């Protein structure tokens, strides 16, 4: 019988190391951000009963090395972990080293054997040999004396064994462990990016609506970058870090959409900003109504002076009037009748947009896209929200993002990919720093708890969610019918459920009327001007802005909320009460104190709920049975809590407790 040439498999080391974490499913580097707290782990085991151990070895981008002992999670699991705060931007290397703990193995066996009077003399001599090895390695008289005591037959075995408990011997062994059979795991990569890649509060608005005015003849005067800049201080006062602008480019007139996505636009209808391109230019041009390049540069600088960054929309698609259509017809799909295919998401059709075809001139497309991105980077833009990346090939994003970040490591790309899990996760693996998520449609207790657990643990090595509560395209049924309570609940969950969240302008005004039969706002801002009087709404108490400001201040004050991987789901007896916590131990907090926030939310915006909340105190850094004091930042109320706690949340008053743990009850 002929032999079979079997494929080579990875070698199993002497002390096997498997199931490394954090890693990605397809071998791309994992992700971290400057200041992120990450748990590294591996499954480590061996044959027999010998004691083993493992170390995490981290190599910083500057070449510095740090070794951290891994701790067995629980007896019998073979799972070893260590939690580390990564500080320093760049690509880190890490691996796990397993080893046989020769001394611990001997001590464990010796205590059993000496107590039982079994194999006494040979066992004590084996221990003496180990101590002589230590004495030779570190030139230790303490170890040599302990070895001699183990060999002293004038003493009874228990007295001889007592030498191993000498504090000086214990200290030397802790400093210079006696190990053997060291085994190294494969080296892993961790791409640690700037903090804004993983932490931030985003606010989206249309510059053309800010300062827009209707003329006496019924036509509109567009807002521009100068009038939009007047909105920036108010956005910054709400605590937002990033102001995100829809496309700022010229808009095509061919097949331009009218109000509410109608197929006929009037002469004064501005069209969708995502229908990019006209006689004035394409992706590297600014819509004339918005101003000049100098005006945009001033807008970016004004945002910076208020403590915010500008995120620019990058939508890789064209109106029929885009210069690329005539200059590069090979970049589009021509149908059998000679027409160019328009964008579709059945049953939706976008008659005003041509999608790009990537397979006829891939090098030309890559070169042009890199040119466009570099153009806006030169204006000081460091964040791009990428529209519909899931309709473009993965290889394209992998290459473009890599080349941009090779030149500008601080660039952040957000994937607007409301799509199937495989594509969403693959986009994150191949380079996108952030991703829109399914949070928008996760509304029940079970949905929220399951999804938050998935985001903070299952995919946290590579997918960073940006929890937007709404978008110009998305007004969910929960918001349409949830009223003020629904808007509070969704904002509180988004702001505390992940380090990055976002809000589209108008959310704070409770804009909840949908176009019939859709999940979009009626009179959608994508297709018309929509000036808003935010100051009047706030003065009349009809604005959510004070609540949003409170949420962002909470995030700023509590570093536990600026971590992704530290969410713990707790339990409540009511099927509408969601409970989770975010805990950060003191060693990772500049104050040196533990930081813990507990969120208890009534996700039924139409009722009052009473229930008992059950907490895992160890997840809060507390011993079982501990009583502790909490303060609700929403109302200022204080309570003493333990592992089981009564709560009452009235949707018509305050539907969410945001509880800060102030410490053990005295």
């Amino acid at each position: 019988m002929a032999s079979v040439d079997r494929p080579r498999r990875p070698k199993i080391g002497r002390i096997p190391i498997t199931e490394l974490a954090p890693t990605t499913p397809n071998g791309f580097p994992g992700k971290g951000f400057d200041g992120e707290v990450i748990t590294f782990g591996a499954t480590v085991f061996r044959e027999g009963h010998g004691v083993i151990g493992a170390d995490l070895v981290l190599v910083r981008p500057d070449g510095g090395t740090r070794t951290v002992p891994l701790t067995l999670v629980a007896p019998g699991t073979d799972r070893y972990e260590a939690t580390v705060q990564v500080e320093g931007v760049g690509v880190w290397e890490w691996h796990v080293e397993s080893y046989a703990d020769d001394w611990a193995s001997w001590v464990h066996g010796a205590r059993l054997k000496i107590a039982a009077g079994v194999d006494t003399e040979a066992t004590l001599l084996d221990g003496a040999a180990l101590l002589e090895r230590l004495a030779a390695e570190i030139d230790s008289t303490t170890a040599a004396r302990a070895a001699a005591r183990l060999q002293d037959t004038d003493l009874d075995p228990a007295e001889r064994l007592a030498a191993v408990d000498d504090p000086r011997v214990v200290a030397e062994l802790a400093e210079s462990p006696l190990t053997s059979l060291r085994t190294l795991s494969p080296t892993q990569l961790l791409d640690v990016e700037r903090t804004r890649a993983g932490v931030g509060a985003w606010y989206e608005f249309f510059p053309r609506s800010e300062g827009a005015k209707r003329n006496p003849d019924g036509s509109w005067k567009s807002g521009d970058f100068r009038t939009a800049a007047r909105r920036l201080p108010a956005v910054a006062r709400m605590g937002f870090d990033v102001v995100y602008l829809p496309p700022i480019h010229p808009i095509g007139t061919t097949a331009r959409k009218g109000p509410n996505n109608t197929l006929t636009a009037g002469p004064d209808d501005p069209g969708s900003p995502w229908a990019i391109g006209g006689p004035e230019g394409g992706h590297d041009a600014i819509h004339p109504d918005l101003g000049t390049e100098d005006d945009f540069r001033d807008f970016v600088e004004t945002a910076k002076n208020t403590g915010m960054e500008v995120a620019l929309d990058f939508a890789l698609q064209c109106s029929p009037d885009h210069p690329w259509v005539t200059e590069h017809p090979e970049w589009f799909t021509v149908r059998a009748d000679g027409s160019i295919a328009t964008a579709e998401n059945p049953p939706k059709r976008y008659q005003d947009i041509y999608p790009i075809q990537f397979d006829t001139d891939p090098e030309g497309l890559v070169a042009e896209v890199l040119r466009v991105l570099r153009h806006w980077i030169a204006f000081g833009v460091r964040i791009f929200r990428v529209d519909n990346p899931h309709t473009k090939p993965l290889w394209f994003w992998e290459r473009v993002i890599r080349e941009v970040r090779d030149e500008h490591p601080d660039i952040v790309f957000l994937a607007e990919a409301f799509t199937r899990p495989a594509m969403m996760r693959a986009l994150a693996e191949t380079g996108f720093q952030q991703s829109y998520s399914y949070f928008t449609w996760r509304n029940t207790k079970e949905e929220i708890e399951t999804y938050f657990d998935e985001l903070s643990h299952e995919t946290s090595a590579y997918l960073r969610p940006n929890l937007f509560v709404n978008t110009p395209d998305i007004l969910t049924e929960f918001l349409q019918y949830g009223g003020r309570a629904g808007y509070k609940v969704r904002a509180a969950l988004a702001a505390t459920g992940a380090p990055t969240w976002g809000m589209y302008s108008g959310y704070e005004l409770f804009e909840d009327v949908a176009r019939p039969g859709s999940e979009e706002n009626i009179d959608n801002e994508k297709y018309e001007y929509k000036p808003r009087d935010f100051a009047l709404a706030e003065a009349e108490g009809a604005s959510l802005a004070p609540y949003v400001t409170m949420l962002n201040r909470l995030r700023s004050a509590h570093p536990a909320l600026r971590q992704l991987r530290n969410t713990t789901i707790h339990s409540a007896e009511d099927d509408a009460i969601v409970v989770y916590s975010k805990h950060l131990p003191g060693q990772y907090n500049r104050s040196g104190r533990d930081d813990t926030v507990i969120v208890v939310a009534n996700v039924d915006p139409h009722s009052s709920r009473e229930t008992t909340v059950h907490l895992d105190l160890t997840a809060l850094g507390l011993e079982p049975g501990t009583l502790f004091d909490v303060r609700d930042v929403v109302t200022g109320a204080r309570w003493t809590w333990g592992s089981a706690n009564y709560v009452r949340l009235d949707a018509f008053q305050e539907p969410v407790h945001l509880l800060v743990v102030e410490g053990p009850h005295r």
Side-chain angles (χ1 to χ4, degrees):
M1 183 175 181
S3 63
V4 177
D5 185 14
R6 298 189 180 277
R8 295 178 63 85
R9 292 178 171 83
K11 291 182 178 179
I12 297 294
R14 181 63 185 84
I15 308 291
I17 304 169
T18 64
E19 299 176 309
L20 295 167
T23 56
T24 65
N26 297 297
F28 289 92
K31 286 191 177 74
F33 60 80
D34 195 13
E36 186 170 14
V37 176
I38 300 174
T39 296
F40 295 82
T43 298
V44 183
F45 54 95
R46 70 167 296 183
E47 80 291 345
H49 304 289
V51 179
I52 59 174
D55 292 330
L56 168 69
V57 180
L58 291 159
V59 182
R60 295 168 50 89
D62 61 9
T65 300
R66 178 185 177 190
T67 299
V68 181
L70 291 166
T71 302
L72 184 64
V73 173
T77 65
D78 295 323
R79 189 69 185 171
Y80 289 76
E81 292 182 348
T83 300
V84 177
Q85 187 167 36
V86 292
E87 295 179 303
V89 173
V91 177
W92 293 52
E93 295 182 356
W94 67 274
H95 68 269
V96 169
E97 292 187 9
S98 60
Y99 54 85
D101 190 328
D102 298 336
W103 180 251
S105 295
W106 176 82
V107 169
H108 174 73
R111 293 193 191 281
L112 295 174
K113 291 178 180 180
I114 300 307
V118 176
D119 197 24
T120 299
E121 191 62 30
T123 297
L124 291 170
L125 292 178
D126 287 342
L130 287 171
L131 287 172
E132 287 173 344
R133 174 178 145 196
L134 176 66
E137 288 179 0
I138 65 173
D139 192 21
S140 167
T141 56
T142 298
R145 284 195 295 268
R149 185 181 177 106
L150 285 176
Q151 295 168 325
D152 189 350
T153 56
D154 291 335
L155 301 174
D156 68 49
E159 289 179 297
R160 294 162 68 180
L161 184 62
V164 306
D165 295 320
D166 183 330
R168 294 169 297 177
V169 173
V170 173
E172 287 186 353
L173 284 162
E175 182 69 24
S176 304
L178 291 173
T179 65
S180 62
L181 307 179
R182 285 223 165 227
T183 305
L184 275 62
S185 76
T187 296
Q188 308 295 316
L189 300 180
L190 180 72
D191 191 356
V192 178
E193 299 164 307
R194 66 182 179 116
T195 304
R196 186 63 67 233
V199 181
W202 289 49
Y203 186 88
E204 176 184 2
F205 76 92
F206 287 63
R208 72 185 185 189
S209 289
E210 295 298 327
K213 295 181 180 179
R214 190 181 288 276
N215 297 317
D217 64 358
S219 63
W220 281 91
K221 175 177 172 53
S222 174
D224 56 30
F225 288 127
R226 292 183 181 276
T227 58
R230 299 171 194 159
R231 175 72 179 142
L232 293 176
V235 175
R237 284 195 297 273
M238 283 190 286
F240 287 98
D241 309 297
V242 178
V243 57
Y244 153 50
L245 307 182
I248 61 174
H249 316 300
I251 298 171
T253 56
T254 300
R256 175 175 287 189
K257 295 295 186 73
N260 289 308
N261 201 26
T262 56
L263 298 179
T264 304
D268 298 315
D269 291 327
S272 168
W274 283 272
I276 297 170
E280 308 91 346
H283 284 74
D284 57 355
I286 290 174
H287 196 299
D289 287 353
L290 296 179
T292 66
E293 288 188 345
D294 285 340
D295 293 331
F296 178 65
R297 193 174 283 108
D298 289 344
F299 181 89
V300 173
E301 188 64 22
T302 300
K304 181 180 178 181
N305 291 337
T306 61
M308 296 188 297
E309 290 190 56
V310 171
L312 201 59
D313 197 287
F314 183 63
L316 194 50
Q317 59 204 32
C318 302
S319 94
D321 306 315
H322 195 293
W324 288 350
V325 176
T326 55
E327 295 172 3
H328 294 282
E330 70 277 12
W331 292 355
F332 303 92
T333 299
V334 179
R335 305 182 71 180
D337 63 359
S339 65
I340 296 178
T342 57
E344 295 181 356
N345 183 14
K348 292 183 179 180
R349 187 179 176 202
Y350 304 91
Q351 295 88 343
D352 54 343
I353 293 173
Y354 287 164
I356 303 295
Q357 200 278 98
F358 285 81
D359 296 317
T360 53
D361 181 23
E363 292 302 318
L365 273 168
V366 168
E368 177 65 357
V369 166
L370 289 172
R371 184 191 70 81
V372 169
L373 290 170
R374 290 171 181 137
H375 174 80
W376 297 112
I377 290 170
F379 283 85
V381 175
R382 289 295 181 272
I383 304 176
F384 294 93
R385 179 270 197 188
V386 178
D387 189 71
N388 281 332
H390 54 289
T391 61
K392 288 80 179 173
L394 281 173
W395 70 260
F396 173 82
W397 294 121
E398 181 183 3
R399 179 169 169 189
V400 166
I401 293 173
R402 183 183 68 245
E403 293 198 24
V404 169
R405 293 196 63 237
D406 282 348
E407 299 173 12
H408 305 280
D410 59 338
I411 298 298
V412 173
F413 289 94
L414 165 64
E416 187 254 358
F418 296 112
T419 185
R420 298 183 304 279
M423 175 60 83
M424 183 182 290
R425 295 181 179 192
L427 286 165
E429 276 196 86
T430 53
F432 280 91
Q433 283 73 32
Q434 297 179 19
S435 176
Y436 280 52
S437 75
Y438 303 135
F439 166 74
T440 320
W441 297 278
R442 300 295 188 260
N443 295 307
T444 68
K445 171 180 177 170
E446 182 180 6
E447 289 171 344
I448 293 165
E449 293 182 343
T450 300
Y451 195 50
F452 277 10
D453 191 59
E454 173 188 320
L455 292 175
S456 60
H457 297 103
E458 182 181 341
T459 60
S460 60
Y462 57 96
L463 189 150
R464 298 194 192 105
N466 190 326
L467 304 184
F468 262 81
V469 288
N470 68 326
T471 79
D473 284 323
I474 301 172
L475 179 71
T476 62
E477 186 174 305
F478 188 94
L479 294 177
Q480 292 176 36
Y481 302 106
R484 190 180 187 93
Y487 275 68
K488 281 187 172 183
V489 167
R490 297 303 293 177
L493 292 173
T496 61
T500 302
W501 80 294
M503 187 177 92
Y504 157 56
S505 178
Y507 187 91
E508 65 268 52
L509 302 185
F510 306 102
E511 294 179 355
D512 61 359
V513 180
R515 180 164 54 84
S518 77
E519 277 196 339
E520 297 182 0
N521 287 89
I522 199 166
D523 304 326
N524 195 303
E525 193 173 2
K526 283 178 63 175
Y527 309 106
E528 56 188 88
Y529 301 103
K530 198 162 190 173
R532 300 173 173 93
D533 195 333
F534 295 99
L536 177 62
E538 192 163 350
E540 295 178 346
S543 171
L544 195 63
Y547 193 84
V548 171
T549 303
M550 178 271 295
L551 291 174
N552 282 332
R553 285 178 177 169
L554 178 71
R555 288 165 49 85
S556 179
H558 292 279
L561 294 176
R562 303 195 297 274
Q563 297 289 328
L564 174 61
R565 311 176 200 229
N566 63 338
T567 300
T568 298
I569 306 298
H570 302 270
S571 66
E573 295 172 7
D574 189 280
D575 62 6
I577 301 295
V578 171
V579 189
Y580 58 91
S581 66
K582 306 280 280 186
H583 173 68
L584 186 68
Q587 63 263 40
Y588 309 118
N589 187 1
R590 290 181 179 177
S591 71
R593 298 188 298 272
D594 284 8
D595 183 48
T596 307
V597 176
I598 303 169
V599 179
V600 187
N602 175 6
V603 297
D604 177 358
H606 306 292
S607 71
S608 174
R609 299 285 181 138
E610 299 180 51
T611 191
T612 299
V613 166
H614 299 276
L615 301 176
D616 175 1
L617 297 189
T618 59
L620 309 182
L622 300 170
E623 293 293 327
T626 302
L627 295 179
F628 57 97
D629 296 327
V630 297
R631 174 176 54 87
D632 187 351
V633 299
V634 181
T635 65
R638 284 182 163 85
W639 299 284
T640 299
W641 272 30
S643 60
N645 312 278
Y646 165 81
V647 297
R648 182 178 187 275
L649 288 169
D650 189 338
F652 304 104
Q653 296 181 21
E654 293 298 343
V656 181
H657 284 324
L658 299 172
L659 304 175
V660 174
V661 176
E662 296 190 319
H665 181 64
R666 305 288 183 188

